[in-house]
Amino acid sequence: AIERTLSIIKPDATRRNLTGKINDKFETAGLSIIATRRLQLTKAQAEAFYAVHSHRPFFGDLVSFMISGPVVAQVLEGENAIMQNRDIMGATDPKKADAGTIRADFAESIEANSVHGSDSPEAAAQEISFFFAGIDITA
Ligand code: CMP
């Protein structure tokens, strides 16, 4: 089925001007970028976005990293987009990511891992609405 998922290009990647190279991987794989915005998250916004991880030991470092520079939040649309995006990203830990994935090619560490992607249809709906209003997504 055609799905939508929320992607974030993280500060380690925007800092190195990798937005275009990362978007090329999405588009080459057949995912369409149907909404996009570059923004600087506030601490409160980063904490809210990652609230599900608030009890994890890495939460504070994750929030600090996510506000260390601009991010690019995007809606990707395509066949099986949620799982397809996760395949294109590769494993969270770049040392475990398959060759050719975004994280294998570009990530610096398990934290500075270049991209985020929604992990379920429920998360996708919630995360898309975190960054975008319906009027912003015109496909
Ligand atoms: P993301 O898919 O954005 O979801 C949570 C993020 O926490 C993850 O990618 C990593 O960037 C970050 N993170 C930092 N340390 C860890 C860890 N030990 N395990 C999982 N995620 C981590």
Side-chain angles (χ1 to χ4, degrees):
I2 300 290
E3 293 176 341
R4 290 174 175 178
T5 191
L6 190 280
S7 169
I8 302 175
I9 300 177
K10 296 186 179 185
D12 67 289
T14 60
R15 187 179 294 125
R16 289 176 289 149
N17 281 346
L18 292 171
T19 299
K21 287 193 169 94
I22 289 170
N23 281 341
D24 182 56
K25 289 194 189 275
F26 296 143
E27 294 191 326
T28 297
L31 294 178
S32 298
I33 300 164
I34 64 165
T36 185
R37 61 185 295 216
R38 179 171 154 122
L39 72 159
Q40 172 70 51
L41 289 169
T42 66
K43 184 163 181 277
Q45 288 169 339
E47 287 172 348
F49 182 80
Y50 279 121
V52 64
H53 294 303
S54 61
H55 298 291
R56 304 265 223 127
F58 56 81
F59 182 68
D61 287 343
L62 173 62
V63 168
S64 299
F65 164 66
M66 289 299 289
I67 66 172
S68 67
V71 299
V72 181
Q74 304 190 112
V75 180
L76 307 181
E77 184 180 83
E79 187 64 35
N80 198 24
I82 297 165
M83 292 318 295
Q84 221 214 321
N85 181 41
R86 294 183 69 79
D87 287 345
I88 297 164
M89 291 194 294
T92 303
D93 182 351
K95 294 199 286 285
K96 296 176 184 158
D98 289 340
T101 61
I102 291 169
R103 285 163 171 162
D105 284 359
F106 303 129
E108 297 178 322
S109 67
I110 194 169
E111 175 178 273
N113 64 354
S114 300
V115 279
H116 167 83
S118 308
D119 65 4
S120 68
E122 297 72 28
Q126 195 253 319
E127 292 178 2
I128 288 169
S129 68
F130 186 91
F131 284 101
F132 296 97
I135 196 170
D136 298 323
I137 308 170
T138 52

